[in-house]
Amino acid sequence: MKSRLKNIAGLLALSLFINSCSSDDNGSAPADGTSGDVELFFDNGVAGDALMLGNSYTNSNGETLIFERFTYIVSNFVLIKEDGSEFTYPKNESYFIINEETGQFTVHLENVPAGDYKKIKFGIGVDQQRYLQGETAQQSFWDLAFANNMTWTWSTGYRFINCQGTFTVDPAHGGDTTSRGFMIHQGSNTATDNYREVVLNLPTTARVREGEMPNIHLKSDANVILDGDTKIELHHNLNGAGTAASIMAGENLITIANNTKKMFTVDHVHNGAGTHH
Amino acid sequence: MKKIVYFLSILSVLSCQDDNGEYIEIDQPLDFIIPANFPEPVQDISYNAPTQKGFELGRKLFYDGRLSRDGTVSCSFCHEQASAFTHHGHDFSHGVDNLEGLRNAPAVQNMAFQGEYFYDGASSSLEMLSIVPIHNPVEMDENLESIVLKLKQDPVYVKLFSQAFANKEVSSGNMLKALGQFMTMMVSANSRYDKYVRNEAGGTLSTQELQGRALFQTNCATCHATDLFTDNKFRNNGLPPNPNLNDLGRETVTGFAYDRYKFKVPSLRNVALTAPYMHDGRFGSLQSVLNFYASGVQNTQNLDPLLQQHPTLGIPLNQQEKEAIIAFLKTLTDEEFVSNPLFYFRT
């Protein structure tokens, strides 16, 4: 019994020694079979400025927008190593909501195999395949999405992006200065699959170890939704009464799906045990 | 008959007796039988394979007014079994506070064989579609979270959920799954017509009905295709739009102008029981429907090309031919389906 205790003490000392080595900034090979956590922080902005609800931002379409809501779904996270090998986060737990109104900016991934990751891949919204599998596959994600204004109820889908506020149009761009509401509800419907995936390089390796959590700091640019590769002018999308612009269907959703493939960039990666970003 | 049996993982309710010697009911997978004259189902039933308890729970929910805000409107309120689960005699569906909807309640039958639901295809999931009438402010005006709170107070539901689902939870997801299981099993395929095409006992059609069938095959069966009597597509059949509603149909969902005034081609099974007809219930009889196709079709935006093949728009039919088609349509009535106690929850 005594000798067994001694062995355990020896193992403990050895493992402590190994652990102390792994906190070396130069890094070390991860121990096989171990895992750690990864945190992603989504920093919302508008064309390089910080996004603040209630502030106004003028885009290249000559329209000035005041955001009152900016919420989106990110999903299906994959971490990719330098050799191209991938770790796919369990799909049932891989749906998250980032919400500027409630201050929900992080995605926390648990039990990621220890390793050095060079790229991340994720989806914007809910993939059609998953959606068709119904609530079984989504667990209680519908409840969470409903609480965050991310469900449609007149049809049965998820809003991938919910961006609302008011806008005015520069008279030089053919508008008047009346403030009108705008509502952008990006999503799929039974005719169009608007789910898209993005793959982003990490400027620094994200080092996942037991007890060591990399924090991946992303920037999300709300401006690209309307002012990305293809422009969408709100004043060309007014309702019949001309009182507000709503973008919820049709060609605009396909445009937004493609524009938002450039919505995210990785700004930097923090390695270590801290939770700063 | 093609037969698919889904083997479910054995639930914890397998044993007949628990440690205290109490009797425990067994949950069992249900056979989902594809009628021999039907095409393959469109929905993947393995995602939500029906079980005995899931089905019973779904049926109880279907008949329960607690799914509406004020407890007055159940699914069965607008989907009555005797009318093949439609709202007999009502052009529009009714809701809480005696509010009126904008469309005629469609039949709930053969749901697993459809890819999209509602006249505009607002949903493509059998498991999720119940979300729409539950949240519609002029129908049930409720939300899932609130319903779950109500159901958790009821020991009968707590027991049924625990029997029907492995995680035993009274949850929004399990509620939608149970409703989906009930609707999956609602197959109507035993009309006199079905017996005729399957050469079963009782499957005889009269001369007039056979003449009607031939006319139907020539003039109607491109859209009302297969033995489901629908091609599951969206089409504009040339109804003059009701200016008070200005219902854009499929465009409401897709946002594409080429979908304006297109509505889902409905199945014609049990059609003799489902008056009034069309998405807005404007026609009170099958005679009126055929009068419309013979002489009422208008050339509105996106009118289906199939209704533009003759010198006049629509389908040329004389009265004798209309009567024959109606006689044929009446052979699609499935008395067994509309009187089957399996689909009726007796309180």
Side-chain angles (χ1 to χ4, degrees):
Chain A
M1 188 65 180
K2 241 185 188 172
S3 67
R4 196 188 268 176
L5 267 177
K6 249 185 208 166
N7 283 344
I8 289 171
L11 271 173
L12 212 69
L14 190 68
S15 70
L16 277 173
F17 174 72
I18 292 166
N19 266 342
S20 71
C21 282
S22 69
S23 63
D24 187 326
D25 267 4
N26 295 324
S28 65
D32 277 348
T34 61
S35 61
D37 293 359
V38 174
E39 195 154 271
L40 296 100
F41 181 83
F42 288 82
D43 188 357
N44 294 329
V46 185
D49 299 329
L51 172 64
M52 275 182 274
L53 298 179
N55 275 18
S56 64
Y57 302 86
T58 301
N59 66 23
S60 78
N61 302 334
E63 295 184 325
T64 300
L65 281 69
I66 295 175
F67 294 89
E68 284 158 9
R69 171 173 289 167
F70 183 51
T71 315
Y72 47 91
I73 294 171
V74 282
S75 61
N76 296 319
F77 283 83
V78 177
L79 293 145
I80 305 166
K81 289 183 187 168
E82 191 151 37
D83 65 4
S85 64
E86 297 186 348
F87 168 69
T88 303
Y89 200 65
K91 205 168 169 65
N92 284 348
E93 286 129 48
S94 206
Y95 293 85
F96 302 89
I97 291 173
I98 304 299
N99 187 333
E100 181 71 35
E101 273 179 293
T102 62
Q104 175 60 44
F105 301 119
T106 55
V107 166
H108 191 93
L109 308 178
E110 290 174 336
N111 297 318
V112 176
D116 297 327
Y117 295 96
K118 293 283 191 186
K119 286 181 188 178
I120 52 167
K121 181 163 81 176
F122 60 90
I124 310 165
V126 175
D127 48 299
Q128 206 76 349
Q129 175 220 342
R130 201 49 163 187
Y131 169 67
L132 288 174
Q133 290 177 19
E135 277 278 335
T136 326
Q138 284 140 15
Q139 308 289 335
S140 293
F141 184 69
W142 204 90
D143 291 346
L144 178 69
F146 183 78
N148 281 276
N149 296 303
M150 297 303 273
T151 55
W152 270 302
T153 53
W154 64 272
S155 66
T156 61
Y158 295 94
R159 294 173 185 155
F160 299 173
I161 301 171
N162 184 343
C163 181
Q164 292 176 209
T166 58
F167 75 104
T168 55
V169 190
D170 182 341
H173 281 77
D176 56 40
T177 50
T178 312
S179 173
R180 294 179 170 89
F182 76 87
M183 203 178 262
I184 300 164
H185 290 170
Q186 171 69 1
S188 291
N189 53 50
T190 53
T192 327
D193 180 358
N194 293 317
Y195 171 80
R196 294 290 184 279
E197 287 188 337
V198 292
V199 184
L200 303 173
N201 290 317
L202 304 180
T204 319
T205 303
R207 211 172 57 222
V208 180
R209 302 286 186 277
E210 206 170 301
E212 219 185 314
M213 181 182 73
N215 197 305
I216 300 170
H217 189 120
L218 294 104
K219 291 202 160 182
S220 329
D221 183 5
N223 189 58
V224 303
I225 297 171
L226 301 175
D227 193 13
D229 287 347
T230 306
K231 312 294 179 192
I232 298 174
E233 293 179 55
L234 289 171
H235 73 280
H236 289 158
N237 289 279
L238 294 177
N239 59 19
T243 52
S246 63
I247 292 175
M248 299 177 182
E251 209 62 47
N252 281 328
L253 298 194
I254 301 168
T255 300
I256 291 173
N258 293 331
N259 281 351
T260 51
K261 286 173 85 172
K262 293 187 180 165
M263 186 161 117
F264 299 98
T265 48
V266 177
D267 194 67
H268 57 267
V269 178
H270 288 287
N271 282 304
T275 54
H276 54 276
H277 36 251
Chain B
M1 281 204 172
K2 288 170 274 180
K3 195 171 175 184
I4 298 177
V5 180
Y6 290 98
F7 297 99
L8 291 186
S9 59
I10 293 155
L11 303 176
S12 56
V13 286
L14 187 69
S15 68
C16 289
Q17 287 196 326
D18 70 5
D19 292 345
N20 303 321
E22 281 172 38
Y23 175 73
I24 294 177
E25 289 168 271
I26 298 171
D27 194 19
Q28 289 176 331
L30 291 177
D31 291 358
F32 178 77
I33 296 163
I34 301 167
N37 52 325
F38 273 28
E40 289 294 310
V42 181
Q43 298 286 328
D44 186 339
I45 289 146
S46 68
Y47 290 151
N48 184 25
T51 66
Q52 183 62 39
K53 289 294 167 191
F55 171 87
E56 284 174 21
L57 172 60
R59 178 176 58 195
K60 187 170 166 61
L61 289 164
F62 191 87
Y63 284 90
D64 195 330
R66 277 174 283 188
L67 269 61
S68 66
R69 168 170 50 76
D70 61 4
T72 59
V73 178
S74 63
C75 306
S76 63
F77 187 83
C78 291
H79 299 284
E80 300 164 76
Q81 184 176 17
S83 308
F85 297 96
T86 61
H87 203 20
H88 182 71
H90 294 82
D91 46 0
F92 301 124
S93 51
H94 283 223
V96 294
D97 303 332
N98 211 22
L99 289 162
E100 211 173 52
L102 299 171
R103 294 200 182 130
N104 181 252
V108 181
Q109 57 186 0
N110 303 328
M111 298 294 269
F113 299 89
Q114 302 176 45
E116 280 140 334
Y117 304 96
F118 305 104
Y119 287 108
D120 55 12
S123 180
S124 55
S125 164
L126 180 50
E127 205 179 311
M128 302 285 270
L129 67 87
S130 306
I131 287 168
V132 174
I134 287 172
H135 291 81
N136 190 331
V138 295
E139 292 183 28
M140 297 160 95
D141 195 25
E142 249 299 7
N143 65 71
L144 303 184
E145 195 181 6
S146 163
I147 296 169
V148 165
L149 287 176
K150 286 188 266 187
L151 300 183
K152 278 182 173 167
Q153 319 260 313
D154 182 339
V156 178
Y157 271 117
V158 172
K159 185 180 175 199
L160 265 173
F161 274 94
S162 74
Q163 290 172 325
F165 296 105
N167 70 8
K168 300 182 180 302
E169 284 171 19
V170 182
S171 67
S172 60
N174 285 344
M175 178 174 72
L176 294 174
K177 284 178 73 174
L179 283 164
Q181 289 182 25
F182 177 54
M183 290 187 280
T184 297
M185 297 305 290
M186 293 167 82
V187 175
S188 174
N190 282 324
S191 65
R192 193 151 51 83
Y193 164 80
D194 292 296
K195 290 170 184 164
Y196 170 78
V197 294
R198 295 196 301 251
N199 290 313
E200 291 169 10
T204 49
L205 298 190
S206 72
T207 313
Q208 189 194 32
E209 288 160 354
L210 286 169
Q211 190 211 347
R213 187 191 180 206
L215 286 164
F216 183 88
Q217 286 175 327
T218 313
N219 293 296
C220 317
T222 310
C223 303
H224 296 286
T226 77
D227 274 5
L228 294 172
F229 294 91
T230 173
D231 61 357
N232 282 321
K233 292 200 168 85
F234 299 88
R235 297 173 183 272
N236 176 4
N237 67 349
L239 287 170
N242 179 337
N244 296 325
L245 299 173
N246 196 29
D247 191 335
L248 302 180
R250 178 73 172 146
E251 186 189 359
T252 316
V253 168
T254 68
F256 297 123
Y258 59 72
D259 284 329
R260 181 162 302 177
Y261 302 139
K262 289 184 185 173
F263 295 87
K264 193 179 164 194
V265 176
S267 168
L268 299 180
R269 289 195 160 270
N270 295 304
V271 72
L273 304 175
T274 64
Y277 304 107
M278 304 295 156
H279 64 273
D280 54 6
R282 68 176 70 188
F283 296 133
S285 67
L286 290 171
Q287 177 70 51
S288 299
V289 170
L290 291 179
N291 289 346
F292 160 74
Y293 280 117
S295 58
V297 171
Q298 293 199 3
N299 197 359
T300 55
Q301 204 177 332
N302 306 313
L303 174 65
D304 203 281
L306 290 166
L307 292 166
Q308 304 183 44
Q309 329 177 76
H310 301 286
T312 50
L313 296 178
I315 304 166
L317 294 169
N318 63 37
Q319 182 56 22
Q320 185 265 334
E321 290 169 326
K322 290 175 195 169
E323 282 168 15
I325 290 175
I326 292 168
F328 169 67
L329 292 176
K330 286 180 175 171
T331 71
L332 301 180
T333 298
D334 180 354
E335 291 296 341
E336 201 180 306
F337 178 67
V338 298
S339 60
N340 191 340
L342 263 183
F343 304 129
Y344 176 60
F345 178 70
R346 285 153 295 173
T347 42

